[in-house]
Short mmCIF file of all heavy atoms in Angstrom, two decimals:
data_model
loop_
_atom_site.label_atom_id
_atom_site.label_comp_id
_atom_site.label_asym_id
_atom_site.label_seq_id
_atom_site.Cartn_x
_atom_site.Cartn_y
_atom_site.Cartn_z
N MET A 127 8.16 1.48 8.76
CA MET A 127 9.22 2.48 8.79
C MET A 127 9.53 2.87 7.34
O MET A 127 9.59 2.03 6.46
CB MET A 127 10.45 1.90 9.47
CG MET A 127 11.55 2.93 9.62
SD MET A 127 12.95 2.29 10.54
CE MET A 127 12.27 2.40 12.16
N ARG A 128 9.75 4.13 7.10
CA ARG A 128 9.90 4.64 5.74
C ARG A 128 11.29 4.49 5.17
O ARG A 128 11.52 4.81 4.02
CB ARG A 128 9.50 6.10 5.71
CG ARG A 128 8.02 6.27 5.87
CD ARG A 128 7.61 7.68 5.71
NE ARG A 128 8.19 8.24 4.51
CZ ARG A 128 8.18 9.52 4.23
NH1 ARG A 128 7.65 10.35 5.06
NH2 ARG A 128 8.72 9.97 3.13
N GLU A 129 12.24 4.05 5.94
CA GLU A 129 13.60 3.84 5.45
C GLU A 129 14.20 5.11 4.83
O GLU A 129 14.90 5.07 3.83
CB GLU A 129 13.64 2.69 4.45
CG GLU A 129 13.21 1.39 5.06
CD GLU A 129 13.23 0.24 4.08
OE1 GLU A 129 13.66 0.43 2.92
OE2 GLU A 129 12.82 -0.85 4.47
N ASN A 130 13.87 6.28 5.41
CA ASN A 130 14.41 7.57 5.00
C ASN A 130 14.11 7.92 3.55
O ASN A 130 14.89 8.58 2.89
CB ASN A 130 15.92 7.63 5.26
CG ASN A 130 16.22 7.55 6.73
OD1 ASN A 130 15.52 8.14 7.55
ND2 ASN A 130 17.26 6.81 7.08
N LYS A 131 12.98 7.47 3.04
CA LYS A 131 12.56 7.81 1.68
C LYS A 131 11.68 9.05 1.75
O LYS A 131 10.86 9.19 2.64
CB LYS A 131 11.79 6.67 1.02
CG LYS A 131 12.57 5.37 0.94
CD LYS A 131 13.69 5.47 -0.06
CE LYS A 131 14.37 4.12 -0.19
NZ LYS A 131 15.59 4.18 -0.92
N GLU A 132 11.84 9.93 0.77
CA GLU A 132 11.05 11.15 0.74
C GLU A 132 9.58 10.86 0.44
O GLU A 132 8.68 11.42 1.06
CB GLU A 132 11.61 12.11 -0.31
CG GLU A 132 10.96 13.47 -0.28
CD GLU A 132 11.64 14.42 -1.23
OE1 GLU A 132 12.89 14.46 -1.23
OE2 GLU A 132 10.93 15.10 -1.97
N ILE A 133 9.35 9.97 -0.50
CA ILE A 133 7.99 9.60 -0.89
C ILE A 133 7.84 8.10 -0.69
O ILE A 133 8.70 7.33 -1.07
CB ILE A 133 7.70 9.97 -2.35
CG1 ILE A 133 7.78 11.49 -2.53
CG2 ILE A 133 6.34 9.45 -2.79
CD1 ILE A 133 7.65 11.94 -3.97
N LEU A 134 6.73 7.71 -0.11
CA LEU A 134 6.45 6.29 0.10
C LEU A 134 5.43 5.84 -0.93
O LEU A 134 4.26 6.22 -0.88
CB LEU A 134 5.90 6.07 1.51
CG LEU A 134 5.64 4.65 1.94
CD1 LEU A 134 6.92 3.84 1.90
CD2 LEU A 134 5.04 4.62 3.33
N TRP A 135 5.88 5.06 -1.90
CA TRP A 135 5.02 4.57 -2.98
C TRP A 135 4.46 3.21 -2.60
O TRP A 135 5.09 2.45 -1.87
CB TRP A 135 5.79 4.47 -4.29
CG TRP A 135 6.27 5.79 -4.78
CD1 TRP A 135 7.55 6.25 -4.70
CD2 TRP A 135 5.51 6.83 -5.38
NE1 TRP A 135 7.62 7.51 -5.25
CE2 TRP A 135 6.38 7.89 -5.67
CE3 TRP A 135 4.16 6.96 -5.73
CZ2 TRP A 135 5.95 9.07 -6.27
CZ3 TRP A 135 3.74 8.13 -6.32
CH2 TRP A 135 4.63 9.17 -6.59
N SER A 136 3.29 2.88 -3.14
CA SER A 136 2.66 1.59 -2.83
C SER A 136 3.57 0.43 -3.21
O SER A 136 3.60 -0.59 -2.51
CB SER A 136 1.31 1.47 -3.54
OG SER A 136 1.45 1.58 -4.93
N SER A 137 4.32 0.57 -4.29
CA SER A 137 5.23 -0.51 -4.69
C SER A 137 6.31 -0.73 -3.63
O SER A 137 6.73 -1.87 -3.40
CB SER A 137 5.87 -0.20 -6.04
OG SER A 137 6.58 1.02 -6.00
N MET A 138 6.72 0.34 -2.96
CA MET A 138 7.71 0.21 -1.88
C MET A 138 7.10 -0.51 -0.69
O MET A 138 7.78 -1.31 -0.03
CB MET A 138 8.21 1.60 -1.47
CG MET A 138 8.98 2.30 -2.57
SD MET A 138 9.20 4.06 -2.26
CE MET A 138 10.22 4.04 -0.80
N VAL A 139 5.82 -0.24 -0.42
CA VAL A 139 5.13 -0.92 0.68
C VAL A 139 5.08 -2.43 0.39
O VAL A 139 5.42 -3.24 1.25
CB VAL A 139 3.71 -0.36 0.88
CG1 VAL A 139 2.94 -1.18 1.90
CG2 VAL A 139 3.77 1.11 1.31
N LYS A 140 4.68 -2.78 -0.83
CA LYS A 140 4.61 -4.20 -1.18
C LYS A 140 5.98 -4.86 -1.14
O LYS A 140 6.13 -5.96 -0.61
CB LYS A 140 3.98 -4.39 -2.56
CG LYS A 140 3.82 -5.86 -2.89
CD LYS A 140 3.08 -6.10 -4.17
CE LYS A 140 2.95 -7.58 -4.45
NZ LYS A 140 2.23 -7.86 -5.67
N ASP A 141 6.99 -4.18 -1.66
CA ASP A 141 8.35 -4.74 -1.63
C ASP A 141 8.80 -4.99 -0.19
O ASP A 141 9.41 -6.02 0.11
CB ASP A 141 9.35 -3.79 -2.31
CG ASP A 141 9.19 -3.74 -3.82
OD1 ASP A 141 8.49 -4.61 -4.38
OD2 ASP A 141 9.76 -2.81 -4.43
N THR A 142 8.48 -4.06 0.70
CA THR A 142 8.85 -4.22 2.11
C THR A 142 8.10 -5.39 2.73
O THR A 142 8.68 -6.19 3.47
CB THR A 142 8.57 -2.92 2.89
OG1 THR A 142 9.35 -1.87 2.31
CG2 THR A 142 8.93 -3.07 4.35
N MET A 143 6.81 -5.50 2.41
CA MET A 143 6.03 -6.61 2.94
C MET A 143 6.60 -7.94 2.46
O MET A 143 6.71 -8.89 3.24
CB MET A 143 4.56 -6.47 2.52
CG MET A 143 3.87 -5.31 3.19
SD MET A 143 2.23 -5.00 2.57
CE MET A 143 1.32 -6.32 3.34
N LYS A 144 6.97 -8.01 1.19
CA LYS A 144 7.55 -9.24 0.64
C LYS A 144 8.91 -9.55 1.27
O LYS A 144 9.25 -10.71 1.47
CB LYS A 144 7.70 -9.14 -0.87
CG LYS A 144 6.39 -9.08 -1.64
CD LYS A 144 5.67 -10.39 -1.66
CE LYS A 144 6.35 -11.35 -2.60
NZ LYS A 144 5.67 -12.64 -2.66
N ARG A 145 9.67 -8.52 1.57
CA ARG A 145 10.97 -8.73 2.20
C ARG A 145 10.79 -9.24 3.63
O ARG A 145 11.50 -10.14 4.07
CB ARG A 145 11.77 -7.43 2.18
CG ARG A 145 13.21 -7.61 2.60
CD ARG A 145 14.05 -6.36 2.43
NE ARG A 145 13.60 -5.28 3.28
CZ ARG A 145 13.04 -4.14 2.86
NH1 ARG A 145 12.84 -3.92 1.58
NH2 ARG A 145 12.66 -3.21 3.71
N LYS A 146 9.82 -8.66 4.36
CA LYS A 146 9.59 -9.05 5.75
C LYS A 146 8.88 -10.41 5.86
O LYS A 146 9.13 -11.18 6.77
CB LYS A 146 8.74 -7.99 6.47
CG LYS A 146 9.37 -6.63 6.53
CD LYS A 146 10.28 -6.54 7.70
CE LYS A 146 10.81 -5.12 7.81
NZ LYS A 146 11.75 -4.98 8.88
N ARG A 147 7.96 -10.65 4.93
CA ARG A 147 7.20 -11.90 4.90
C ARG A 147 7.18 -12.42 3.46
O ARG A 147 6.26 -12.14 2.70
CB ARG A 147 5.77 -11.68 5.36
CG ARG A 147 5.63 -11.08 6.72
CD ARG A 147 5.09 -12.09 7.66
NE ARG A 147 4.87 -11.44 8.95
CZ ARG A 147 5.16 -12.01 10.07
NH1 ARG A 147 5.66 -13.21 10.07
NH2 ARG A 147 4.96 -11.39 11.21
N PRO A 148 8.20 -13.18 3.07
CA PRO A 148 8.32 -13.64 1.69
C PRO A 148 7.10 -14.39 1.16
O PRO A 148 6.84 -14.39 -0.04
CB PRO A 148 9.55 -14.55 1.70
CG PRO A 148 10.36 -14.04 2.86
CD PRO A 148 9.35 -13.59 3.88
N ALA A 149 6.34 -14.99 2.03
CA ALA A 149 5.16 -15.74 1.59
C ALA A 149 3.94 -14.85 1.37
O ALA A 149 2.89 -15.33 0.93
CB ALA A 149 4.82 -16.82 2.62
N PHE A 150 4.06 -13.55 1.63
CA PHE A 150 2.92 -12.65 1.46
C PHE A 150 2.39 -12.69 0.03
O PHE A 150 3.15 -12.60 -0.94
CB PHE A 150 3.28 -11.20 1.81
CG PHE A 150 2.18 -10.24 1.44
CD1 PHE A 150 1.06 -10.11 2.24
CD2 PHE A 150 2.24 -9.50 0.26
CE1 PHE A 150 0.03 -9.26 1.89
CE2 PHE A 150 1.22 -8.64 -0.10
CZ PHE A 150 0.12 -8.52 0.72
N ALA A 151 1.08 -12.81 -0.08
CA ALA A 151 0.41 -12.75 -1.38
C ALA A 151 -0.97 -12.16 -1.15
O ALA A 151 -1.73 -12.66 -0.32
CB ALA A 151 0.29 -14.14 -2.00
N GLU A 152 -1.27 -11.08 -1.86
CA GLU A 152 -2.56 -10.43 -1.69
C GLU A 152 -3.72 -11.36 -2.03
O GLU A 152 -4.79 -11.29 -1.43
CB GLU A 152 -2.65 -9.13 -2.50
CG GLU A 152 -2.39 -9.27 -3.97
CD GLU A 152 -0.92 -9.17 -4.35
OE1 GLU A 152 -0.04 -9.04 -3.48
OE2 GLU A 152 -0.65 -9.23 -5.55
N ARG A 153 -3.49 -12.30 -2.94
CA ARG A 153 -4.54 -13.26 -3.32
C ARG A 153 -4.94 -14.15 -2.13
O ARG A 153 -6.10 -14.55 -2.03
CB ARG A 153 -4.09 -14.12 -4.48
CG ARG A 153 -4.05 -13.33 -5.78
CD ARG A 153 -3.62 -14.23 -6.94
NE ARG A 153 -3.50 -13.46 -8.15
CZ ARG A 153 -4.45 -13.35 -9.07
NH1 ARG A 153 -5.59 -13.97 -8.89
NH2 ARG A 153 -4.26 -12.62 -10.15
N ALA A 154 -4.00 -14.43 -1.25
CA ALA A 154 -4.29 -15.25 -0.07
C ALA A 154 -5.24 -14.53 0.88
O ALA A 154 -5.86 -15.15 1.73
CB ALA A 154 -3.00 -15.62 0.65
N HIS A 155 -5.36 -13.21 0.71
CA HIS A 155 -6.24 -12.40 1.55
C HIS A 155 -7.50 -11.98 0.80
O HIS A 155 -8.25 -11.12 1.26
CB HIS A 155 -5.48 -11.18 2.06
CG HIS A 155 -4.32 -11.55 2.91
ND1 HIS A 155 -4.44 -11.91 4.24
CD2 HIS A 155 -3.00 -11.68 2.61
CE1 HIS A 155 -3.25 -12.21 4.72
NE2 HIS A 155 -2.36 -12.09 3.75
N GLY A 156 -7.69 -12.56 -0.38
CA GLY A 156 -8.91 -12.31 -1.13
C GLY A 156 -8.85 -11.15 -2.12
O GLY A 156 -9.89 -10.72 -2.61
N TYR A 157 -7.66 -10.65 -2.43
CA TYR A 157 -7.52 -9.52 -3.36
C TYR A 157 -6.86 -10.00 -4.64
O TYR A 157 -5.91 -10.76 -4.61
CB TYR A 157 -6.69 -8.41 -2.72
CG TYR A 157 -7.35 -7.86 -1.48
CD1 TYR A 157 -6.95 -8.30 -0.22
CD2 TYR A 157 -8.36 -6.93 -1.57
CE1 TYR A 157 -7.55 -7.81 0.92
CE2 TYR A 157 -8.98 -6.44 -0.43
CZ TYR A 157 -8.57 -6.89 0.82
OH TYR A 157 -9.18 -6.41 1.93
N ARG A 158 -7.37 -9.50 -5.75
CA ARG A 158 -6.81 -9.87 -7.05
C ARG A 158 -5.46 -9.20 -7.27
O ARG A 158 -4.54 -9.79 -7.82
CB ARG A 158 -7.79 -9.47 -8.15
CG ARG A 158 -7.49 -10.04 -9.50
CD ARG A 158 -8.61 -9.74 -10.48
NE ARG A 158 -8.87 -8.32 -10.62
CZ ARG A 158 -8.27 -7.53 -11.52
NH1 ARG A 158 -7.44 -8.03 -12.38
NH2 ARG A 158 -8.55 -6.25 -11.57
N THR A 159 -5.34 -7.94 -6.84
CA THR A 159 -4.10 -7.18 -7.01
C THR A 159 -3.76 -6.45 -5.72
O THR A 159 -4.62 -6.27 -4.84
CB THR A 159 -4.23 -6.12 -8.13
OG1 THR A 159 -5.19 -5.16 -7.72
CG2 THR A 159 -4.62 -6.76 -9.45
N PHE A 160 -2.53 -5.99 -5.61
CA PHE A 160 -2.13 -5.20 -4.45
C PHE A 160 -2.89 -3.88 -4.42
O PHE A 160 -3.24 -3.38 -3.36
CB PHE A 160 -0.61 -4.96 -4.46
CG PHE A 160 -0.10 -4.40 -3.16
CD1 PHE A 160 -0.08 -5.17 -2.01
CD2 PHE A 160 0.37 -3.10 -3.10
CE1 PHE A 160 0.40 -4.66 -0.81
CE2 PHE A 160 0.84 -2.58 -1.91
CZ PHE A 160 0.86 -3.36 -0.76
N SER A 161 -3.19 -3.34 -5.59
CA SER A 161 -3.99 -2.11 -5.66
C SER A 161 -5.38 -2.32 -5.07
O SER A 161 -5.91 -1.43 -4.38
CB SER A 161 -4.12 -1.64 -7.11
OG SER A 161 -2.87 -1.25 -7.60
N ASP A 162 -5.96 -3.48 -5.31
CA ASP A 162 -7.27 -3.80 -4.72
C ASP A 162 -7.17 -3.82 -3.19
O ASP A 162 -8.05 -3.32 -2.49
CB ASP A 162 -7.79 -5.15 -5.20
CG ASP A 162 -8.18 -5.14 -6.67
OD1 ASP A 162 -8.37 -4.05 -7.24
OD2 ASP A 162 -8.31 -6.25 -7.24
N LEU A 163 -6.10 -4.39 -2.68
CA LEU A 163 -5.88 -4.42 -1.23
C LEU A 163 -5.78 -3.00 -0.69
O LEU A 163 -6.39 -2.66 0.31
CB LEU A 163 -4.61 -5.22 -0.92
CG LEU A 163 -4.29 -5.42 0.55
CD1 LEU A 163 -3.61 -6.77 0.74
CD2 LEU A 163 -3.41 -4.33 1.09
N LEU A 164 -5.02 -2.14 -1.38
CA LEU A 164 -4.87 -0.75 -0.93
C LEU A 164 -6.18 0.02 -1.00
O LEU A 164 -6.47 0.84 -0.11
CB LEU A 164 -3.81 -0.03 -1.75
CG LEU A 164 -2.36 -0.44 -1.47
CD1 LEU A 164 -1.42 0.33 -2.40
CD2 LEU A 164 -2.00 -0.18 -0.03
N GLU A 165 -6.98 -0.25 -2.03
CA GLU A 165 -8.28 0.42 -2.13
C GLU A 165 -9.17 0.04 -0.96
O GLU A 165 -9.86 0.89 -0.38
CB GLU A 165 -8.96 0.06 -3.44
CG GLU A 165 -8.37 0.76 -4.64
CD GLU A 165 -9.01 0.35 -5.94
OE1 GLU A 165 -10.18 -0.11 -5.92
OE2 GLU A 165 -8.35 0.49 -6.98
N ASP A 166 -9.17 -1.24 -0.58
CA ASP A 166 -9.96 -1.68 0.56
C ASP A 166 -9.42 -1.07 1.85
O ASP A 166 -10.19 -0.64 2.72
CB ASP A 166 -9.96 -3.21 0.65
CG ASP A 166 -10.99 -3.73 1.63
OD1 ASP A 166 -12.12 -3.18 1.67
OD2 ASP A 166 -10.68 -4.70 2.35
N ALA A 167 -8.10 -0.99 1.97
CA ALA A 167 -7.50 -0.38 3.16
C ALA A 167 -7.90 1.09 3.26
O ALA A 167 -8.16 1.60 4.35
CB ALA A 167 -5.98 -0.51 3.10
N GLN A 168 -7.98 1.76 2.12
CA GLN A 168 -8.41 3.16 2.12
C GLN A 168 -9.85 3.27 2.61
O GLN A 168 -10.17 4.13 3.45
CB GLN A 168 -8.29 3.76 0.73
CG GLN A 168 -8.81 5.19 0.66
CD GLN A 168 -8.88 5.72 -0.76
OE1 GLN A 168 -8.56 5.00 -1.71
NE2 GLN A 168 -9.30 6.95 -0.90
N LYS A 169 -10.74 2.42 2.12
CA LYS A 169 -12.14 2.44 2.54
C LYS A 169 -12.29 2.21 4.03
O LYS A 169 -13.19 2.74 4.67
CB LYS A 169 -12.93 1.37 1.78
CG LYS A 169 -13.11 1.69 0.32
CD LYS A 169 -13.81 0.53 -0.39
CE LYS A 169 -13.80 0.74 -1.89
NZ LYS A 169 -14.29 -0.43 -2.61
N ARG A 170 -11.38 1.41 4.60
CA ARG A 170 -11.42 1.11 6.03
C ARG A 170 -10.67 2.15 6.86
O ARG A 170 -10.58 2.03 8.07
CB ARG A 170 -10.83 -0.28 6.28
CG ARG A 170 -11.66 -1.39 5.68
CD ARG A 170 -10.92 -2.72 5.75
NE ARG A 170 -11.63 -3.77 5.07
CZ ARG A 170 -12.34 -4.71 5.68
NH1 ARG A 170 -12.42 -4.72 6.99
NH2 ARG A 170 -12.94 -5.63 4.98
N GLY A 171 -10.10 3.14 6.19
CA GLY A 171 -9.40 4.21 6.90
C GLY A 171 -8.00 3.85 7.36
O GLY A 171 -7.44 4.50 8.23
N VAL A 172 -7.41 2.80 6.78
CA VAL A 172 -6.08 2.36 7.20
C VAL A 172 -4.98 3.24 6.62
O VAL A 172 -3.98 3.49 7.26
CB VAL A 172 -5.84 0.88 6.81
CG1 VAL A 172 -4.44 0.43 7.15
CG2 VAL A 172 -6.86 -0.01 7.50
N HIS A 173 -5.17 3.72 5.39
CA HIS A 173 -4.17 4.61 4.81
C HIS A 173 -4.86 5.66 3.96
O HIS A 173 -6.03 5.56 3.63
CB HIS A 173 -3.13 3.83 3.98
CG HIS A 173 -3.56 3.54 2.58
ND1 HIS A 173 -3.11 4.28 1.52
CD2 HIS A 173 -4.40 2.62 2.08
CE1 HIS A 173 -3.66 3.80 0.41
NE2 HIS A 173 -4.44 2.79 0.73
N HIS A 174 -4.12 6.69 3.67
CA HIS A 174 -4.64 7.83 2.91
C HIS A 174 -3.78 8.00 1.67
O HIS A 174 -2.67 8.50 1.76
CB HIS A 174 -4.61 9.09 3.76
CG HIS A 174 -5.21 8.88 5.11
ND1 HIS A 174 -6.56 8.76 5.31
CD2 HIS A 174 -4.64 8.71 6.32
CE1 HIS A 174 -6.80 8.55 6.59
NE2 HIS A 174 -5.65 8.51 7.22
N PRO A 175 -4.28 7.55 0.52
CA PRO A 175 -3.47 7.60 -0.70
C PRO A 175 -3.46 8.98 -1.34
O PRO A 175 -4.30 9.82 -1.06
CB PRO A 175 -4.17 6.60 -1.61
CG PRO A 175 -5.61 6.74 -1.21
CD PRO A 175 -5.58 6.97 0.28
N SER A 176 -2.51 9.17 -2.18
CA SER A 176 -2.43 10.38 -2.98
C SER A 176 -2.15 9.94 -4.41
O SER A 176 -1.15 9.28 -4.67
CB SER A 176 -1.29 11.27 -2.47
OG SER A 176 -1.11 12.37 -3.31
N HIS A 177 -3.05 10.26 -5.33
CA HIS A 177 -2.91 9.84 -6.72
C HIS A 177 -2.54 11.02 -7.61
O HIS A 177 -2.93 12.14 -7.34
CB HIS A 177 -4.22 9.26 -7.27
CG HIS A 177 -4.70 8.07 -6.54
ND1 HIS A 177 -5.80 8.11 -5.73
CD2 HIS A 177 -4.25 6.81 -6.50
CE1 HIS A 177 -6.01 6.91 -5.23
NE2 HIS A 177 -5.08 6.11 -5.68
N ARG A 178 -1.81 10.72 -8.65
CA ARG A 178 -1.61 11.67 -9.73
C ARG A 178 -2.01 10.94 -10.99
O ARG A 178 -1.58 9.82 -11.21
CB ARG A 178 -0.16 12.12 -9.81
CG ARG A 178 0.15 13.23 -8.85
CD ARG A 178 1.52 13.80 -9.01
NE ARG A 178 2.02 13.81 -10.36
CZ ARG A 178 3.27 14.06 -10.69
NH1 ARG A 178 4.14 14.31 -9.75
NH2 ARG A 178 3.66 14.05 -11.93
N PRO A 179 -2.84 11.56 -11.82
CA PRO A 179 -3.34 10.87 -13.00
C PRO A 179 -2.25 10.34 -13.93
O PRO A 179 -2.45 9.35 -14.61
CB PRO A 179 -4.17 11.93 -13.71
CG PRO A 179 -4.40 13.00 -12.74
CD PRO A 179 -3.33 12.89 -11.70
N ASP A 180 -1.09 10.97 -13.93
CA ASP A 180 -0.03 10.55 -14.84
C ASP A 180 0.87 9.46 -14.25
O ASP A 180 1.84 9.06 -14.87
CB ASP A 180 0.82 11.75 -15.26
CG ASP A 180 1.48 12.45 -14.08
OD1 ASP A 180 0.93 12.39 -12.96
OD2 ASP A 180 2.54 13.07 -14.27
N GLN A 181 0.54 8.98 -13.05
CA GLN A 181 1.35 7.95 -12.41
C GLN A 181 0.50 6.74 -12.07
O GLN A 181 -0.61 6.87 -11.61
CB GLN A 181 1.99 8.48 -11.13
CG GLN A 181 3.01 9.55 -11.40
CD GLN A 181 3.58 10.09 -10.11
OE1 GLN A 181 2.90 10.13 -9.09
NE2 GLN A 181 4.83 10.51 -10.16
N ARG A 182 1.06 5.57 -12.31
CA ARG A 182 0.35 4.33 -12.01
C ARG A 182 0.45 3.98 -10.53
O ARG A 182 -0.49 3.48 -9.93
CB ARG A 182 0.93 3.21 -12.86
CG ARG A 182 0.01 2.02 -12.94
CD ARG A 182 0.60 0.98 -13.81
NE ARG A 182 1.01 -0.10 -12.92
CZ ARG A 182 1.60 -1.18 -13.31
NH1 ARG A 182 1.91 -1.35 -14.55
NH2 ARG A 182 1.91 -2.11 -12.46
N ASP A 183 1.59 4.23 -9.93
CA ASP A 183 1.84 3.90 -8.54
C ASP A 183 1.11 4.89 -7.64
O ASP A 183 0.96 6.05 -7.97
CB ASP A 183 3.34 3.93 -8.26
CG ASP A 183 3.75 2.96 -7.16
OD1 ASP A 183 2.87 2.35 -6.54
OD2 ASP A 183 4.97 2.83 -6.93
N VAL A 184 0.68 4.44 -6.49
CA VAL A 184 -0.03 5.27 -5.53
C VAL A 184 0.95 5.73 -4.46
O VAL A 184 1.73 4.94 -3.94
CB VAL A 184 -1.18 4.46 -4.87
CG1 VAL A 184 -1.85 5.27 -3.79
CG2 VAL A 184 -2.17 4.03 -5.92
N ARG A 185 0.90 6.99 -4.13
CA ARG A 185 1.72 7.53 -3.05
C ARG A 185 0.95 7.32 -1.75
O ARG A 185 -0.19 7.75 -1.62
CB ARG A 185 1.97 9.01 -3.28
CG ARG A 185 2.82 9.63 -2.23
CD ARG A 185 3.09 11.07 -2.59
NE ARG A 185 3.66 11.73 -1.44
CZ ARG A 185 3.62 13.02 -1.24
NH1 ARG A 185 3.03 13.81 -2.11
NH2 ARG A 185 4.16 13.55 -0.18
N VAL A 186 1.55 6.64 -0.80
CA VAL A 186 0.92 6.38 0.48
C VAL A 186 1.31 7.52 1.42
O VAL A 186 2.48 7.71 1.72
CB VAL A 186 1.34 5.02 1.06
CG1 VAL A 186 0.71 4.78 2.41
CG2 VAL A 186 0.97 3.90 0.09
N VAL A 187 0.30 8.27 1.86
CA VAL A 187 0.56 9.47 2.64
C VAL A 187 0.56 9.19 4.13
O VAL A 187 1.34 9.75 4.88
CB VAL A 187 -0.47 10.57 2.29
CG1 VAL A 187 -0.25 11.81 3.13
CG2 VAL A 187 -0.39 10.90 0.81
N GLY A 188 -0.31 8.32 4.60
CA GLY A 188 -0.35 8.06 6.03
C GLY A 188 -1.09 6.78 6.34
O GLY A 188 -1.88 6.29 5.55
N PHE A 189 -0.81 6.25 7.50
CA PHE A 189 -1.49 5.04 7.97
C PHE A 189 -2.22 5.40 9.26
O PHE A 189 -1.81 6.27 10.02
CB PHE A 189 -0.49 3.92 8.27
CG PHE A 189 0.05 3.28 7.03
CD1 PHE A 189 1.25 3.70 6.49
CD2 PHE A 189 -0.62 2.25 6.42
CE1 PHE A 189 1.76 3.13 5.35
CE2 PHE A 189 -0.13 1.66 5.28
CZ PHE A 189 1.07 2.09 4.74
N ALA A 190 -3.31 4.70 9.53
CA ALA A 190 -4.08 4.89 10.76
C ALA A 190 -4.58 3.52 11.19
O ALA A 190 -4.43 2.54 10.47
CB ALA A 190 -5.25 5.84 10.48
N LYS A 191 -5.21 3.48 12.36
CA LYS A 191 -5.80 2.21 12.82
C LYS A 191 -7.00 1.89 11.94
O LYS A 191 -7.74 2.77 11.53
CB LYS A 191 -6.25 2.33 14.26
CG LYS A 191 -5.12 2.32 15.25
CD LYS A 191 -5.65 2.27 16.65
CE LYS A 191 -4.49 2.14 17.62
NZ LYS A 191 -4.96 2.07 19.00
N ALA A 192 -7.17 0.62 11.69
CA ALA A 192 -8.30 0.16 10.86
C ALA A 192 -9.61 0.34 11.59
O ALA A 192 -9.70 0.11 12.79
CB ALA A 192 -8.10 -1.29 10.46
N ARG A 193 -10.64 0.75 10.83
CA ARG A 193 -11.99 0.78 11.37
C ARG A 193 -12.63 -0.56 11.11
O ARG A 193 -12.47 -1.13 10.05
CB ARG A 193 -12.82 1.86 10.67
CG ARG A 193 -12.38 3.25 11.01
CD ARG A 193 -13.24 4.22 10.27
NE ARG A 193 -12.82 4.14 8.85
CZ ARG A 193 -13.25 4.93 7.92
NH1 ARG A 193 -14.13 5.86 8.16
NH2 ARG A 193 -12.83 4.82 6.67
N ARG A 194 -13.31 -1.08 12.05
CA ARG A 194 -13.95 -2.40 11.90
C ARG A 194 -15.39 -2.27 11.51
O ARG A 194 -16.10 -1.46 11.73
CB ARG A 194 -13.84 -3.19 13.21
CG ARG A 194 -12.39 -3.37 13.60
CD ARG A 194 -12.00 -4.79 13.42
NE ARG A 194 -10.60 -4.90 13.81
CZ ARG A 194 -9.77 -5.69 13.23
NH1 ARG A 194 -10.17 -6.41 12.22
NH2 ARG A 194 -8.54 -5.79 13.62
#
């Protein structure tokens, strides 16, 4: 749920995951960084990012079911 935010940034996604599951750690799932996790999710079709070269954070545009 987007919590009525206009833009959903990857940092907000991670903060929400940590709030819902405090023990969440991307390293426990085999990723060095949260960005690595998001890149893999993009490759699997789980989300569609939007980047701007002048911003470090990734804007998450949409989520879909994962392709296996």
Side-chain angles (χ1 to χ4, degrees):
M127 184 175 283
R128 289 185 49 192
E129 299 179 4
N130 296 320
K131 302 290 185 191
E132 187 174 314
I133 297 174
L134 184 61
W135 297 104
S136 59
S137 59
M138 295 165 64
V139 173
K140 184 174 180 179
D141 289 347
T142 300
M143 291 173 76
K144 293 288 286 181
R145 189 173 64 248
K146 299 275 185 183
R147 304 250 185 222
F150 171 78
E152 56 273 3
R153 289 181 184 265
H155 298 280
Y157 298 98
R158 192 172 57 90
T159 65
F160 192 69
S161 295
D162 291 343
L163 184 147
L164 287 178
E165 285 178 24
D166 192 41
Q168 176 189 1
K169 290 175 189 172
R170 295 170 186 257
V172 176
H173 84 101
H174 311 286
S176 174
H177 299 109
R178 277 186 34 192
D180 60 332
Q181 293 178 329
R182 198 178 108 181
D183 210 354
V184 175
R185 181 176 168 203
V186 178
V187 178
F189 285 95
K191 286 187 175 181
R193 291 180 287 187
R194 301 251 180 216

